[in-house]
Amino acid sequence: MKLTLILLLLITSLMAVVGAFLTINVSNFFTNTFYQQIDSVFGEDQWEFVASLRGEAAQDDGADRVHDMLELTAGKLGIDYRTRNYFVLDGETGTYLNGSAAEGSMPREQSPNLLTARNAVARRDETAVGDLSDITADYMDAAIPIFGGSNAFIIYILDTRDTVSGLNSQLFQIIMQALVIGLLISVLLSFLLSKTMVGPIEKLTAGAEKMAAGNFGSALPVESTDEIGILTGTFNEMAGVLQSTLAAVENERNKLDTLFLHMTDGVVAFSHDGTLIHCNPAANDMLQRPVGPECTYEELFGGLYPFREMLALQRPSFAEGELEAGEKTLEVYLAPFSDRERGGVLIVLHDVTEQHRNEERRKEFVANVSHELRTPLTNVRTYAETLRDAEGDIPQSTANGFLDIIITETDRMTHIVQDLLTLSRLDRGDAELVLSRFPFAESIRSVVRSSALNAQQRGHQLTCSGLDHLPLIVGDRSRLEQVMVNILGNAIKYTPDGGHIHVSAGCGEDTVWMEVQDDGIGIPEKDRERIFDRFYRVDKARSRESGGTGLGLSIAREIVQRHRGVIALAPHQGPGTTIRMTLPIAQGRGGQTEG
């Protein structure tokens, strides 16, 4: 439409300019021709004809004689008796005397050229001629004064410009017809031209709309080698590059989404106005609350660092702090991303609860080791100093008792050190398992037999069941029997005299299990999760009395885990405790196997 309107405006403007040019030039042509004809008759080089006129004008009937001479030169003057006529006027009064047309054909008002001629007559000036042209007037005229003796006449030639007006009217009609035809042709040509130009542009527009919708598969055909064809080719190349770029961006976004989804650290991002734009599942778990779009920075982390101050930080600067979320302790790292107007704040959450717990356990472990070693060392030093200071005054029986205590405390320290070394080797993986195939039931019977005397000394009733039809298993027999001895020994130690201890076993499709059940002091609910921790004991005084180090169950758990098994407290009815050990029948690769 714009192209059509431009062409129509162009054609209209062109025809208007051509019409105006033709009209003005036709008018000028006729005006110049009129005065050239006047000059060809009355000009300076026609002095003979002018002298003849003056001679005729001097006669008594001078007006008629002048009329006759003008009639002879009517052709040269272009007199057609319709639009152009000549008149013979009285020079002093301007009265009509004779002419090629009646007096009524003259204009009502005297023209400037006629007044010029009359003034020349009044001054008797033979050189003054009224031949000035006025393109704005609706006529052309010329007034020539003629003097003859005492007579003075004015030859007045008048053209009504009807010929010029008619010709201009014809030109206007021709121009209007040409304009209409030109407009029709321009509309047709502009339509064809616009189809030629707009067609590829419409295809480009449709291609751009498809591209905006995400369809990059169809390339536009290049139908020409002009600028539009070059543009189409460039558009196809741009679509390919954009598709590759978007694919790369999508791939990177998928990588980031997968990373954020599965990473163990929490990631939370806020826009420049403090609203949530991203939160991965790990952050929800760490914060122990649902983090939705309605959550703001100030609500979650405003107490750590003001949001506006975070945005004002210059990269790569960042802030860090700690946040308590329920029972969890979180390390929080905050950093701005992008610029202040379009960026925001990215927060990374790291769960350090276990590290804090491990640190506390490490401190507790060091304190326990120090305490466990300090007590026997103090006893050894005390009794040794007593023996030294007595200088033989103590009876031999008392001295032997002191020595027995020193030996007992030394054995206790030796057991603690050995257990610590065992745990250290298990932690480092240096304690290689010597795997062999052996009867699981036979190992249980052997442990029960070795512990029967200790149980009898305390008045316990030790029984076992379910040992028939147990399969052979693969494992380190000595290590597993050490675990069984530890479990059964704890049951004997922590069951009051005259108690009942029952050992049972069984098997599944690919596992075997053993349970030790007693009716002893039991384990309080608050201590059940920590009984396998190192140096952790429910009744510390009784443990020391029985020579316990608090490391037995820790060693047992490490050995069972090395066998890919599980040791844990089992459900128990009534007073006492049940500990269950579950082992796989076959072991995977690793360790050394005896035939």
Side-chain angles (χ1 to χ4, degrees), residues 249-515:
V249 171
E250 181 69 16
N251 188 33
E252 292 299 321
R253 188 178 68 84
N254 291 335
K255 288 180 183 178
L256 289 176
D257 288 343
T258 304
L259 176 64
F260 289 148
L261 181 63
H262 298 289
M263 68 186 301
T264 56
D265 286 343
V267 177
V268 185
F270 294 90
S271 64
H272 67 280
D273 58 354
T275 57
L276 181 73
I277 57 177
H278 181 80
C279 179
N280 68 342
N284 283 295
D285 295 339
M286 291 181 183
L287 294 172
Q288 297 189 352
R289 58 167 291 178
V291 181
E294 70 281 356
C295 295
T296 62
Y297 175 91
E298 297 298 334
E299 179 183 352
L300 296 176
F301 306 104
L304 287 178
Y305 214 96
F307 185 72
R308 292 302 166 189
E309 292 185 14
M310 278 304 311
L311 288 178
L313 284 180
Q314 296 295 322
R315 291 182 295 170
S317 300
F318 66 94
E320 59 181 322
E322 279 196 359
L323 180 67
E324 297 293 333
E327 298 179 354
K328 292 187 176 183
T329 303
L330 307 178
E331 277 187 354
V332 184
Y333 298 92
L334 309 94
F337 64 89
S338 191
D339 54 42
R340 188 166 184 174
E341 288 73 21
R342 296 174 295 176
V345 177
L346 184 70
I347 297 98
V348 178
L349 307 175
H350 183 57
D351 190 353
V352 294
T353 306
E354 193 62 31
Q355 288 89 321
H356 281 207
R357 289 177 181 173
N358 290 337
E359 182 64 22
E360 292 298 324
R361 289 173 182 172
R362 184 188 65 80
K363 294 177 181 179
E364 184 180 353
F365 175 77
V366 172
N368 286 333
V369 170
S370 301
H371 182 73
E372 293 296 333
L373 291 177
R374 183 174 66 248
T375 300
L377 284 172
T378 301
N379 291 336
V380 169
R381 180 181 179 86
T382 301
Y383 286 107
E385 289 178 347
T386 301
L387 290 175
R388 184 194 64 185
D389 296 339
E391 297 180 354
D393 293 339
I394 298 177
Q396 187 62 39
S397 58
T398 304
N400 289 339
F402 287 176
L403 291 174
D404 289 340
I405 293 174
I406 291 174
I407 292 172
T408 300
E409 295 295 340
T410 304
D411 290 341
R412 183 181 171 192
M413 287 189 291
T414 302
H415 291 157
I416 292 175
V417 173
Q418 287 177 346
D419 287 345
L420 289 174
L421 291 175
T422 300
L423 281 172
S424 178
R425 286 195 296 269
L426 290 172
D427 288 340
R428 295 197 310 267
D430 294 341
E432 193 71 33
L433 298 179
V434 181
L435 302 180
S436 63
R437 190 177 298 276
F438 66 93
F440 187 57
E442 184 60 33
S443 292
I444 297 175
R445 290 189 182 98
S446 175
V447 171
V448 171
R449 284 195 300 267
S450 65
S451 302
L453 180 59
N454 188 16
Q456 287 179 359
Q457 290 176 348
R458 294 176 177 271
H460 296 323
Q461 182 180 351
L462 177 60
T463 58
C464 61
S465 63
L467 302 183
D468 298 331
H469 310 296
L470 291 179
L472 299 176
I473 69 171
V474 176
D476 190 327
R477 181 169 182 170
S478 63
R479 296 278 189 186
L480 292 177
E481 288 182 355
Q482 179 185 356
V483 174
M484 297 175 191
V485 169
N486 220 327
I487 298 173
L488 189 54
N490 282 342
I492 294 172
K493 289 177 189 177
Y494 297 108
T495 300
D497 295 347
H500 299 81
I501 300 171
H502 181 69
V503 179
S504 59
C507 65
E509 183 177 352
D510 54 3
T511 60
V512 294
W513 55 270
M514 183 195 81
E515 282 187 357

Side-chain angles (χ1 to χ4, degrees), residues 122-151:
R123 297 193 308 271
R124 304 298 291 184
D125 185 2
E126 297 180 355
T127 61
V129 178
D131 58 355
L132 296 178
S133 63
D134 185 4
I135 195 171
T136 62
D138 57 354
Y139 59 90
M140 297 181 293
D141 65 343
I144 301 97
I146 299 296
F147 298 97
S150 59
N151 296 330

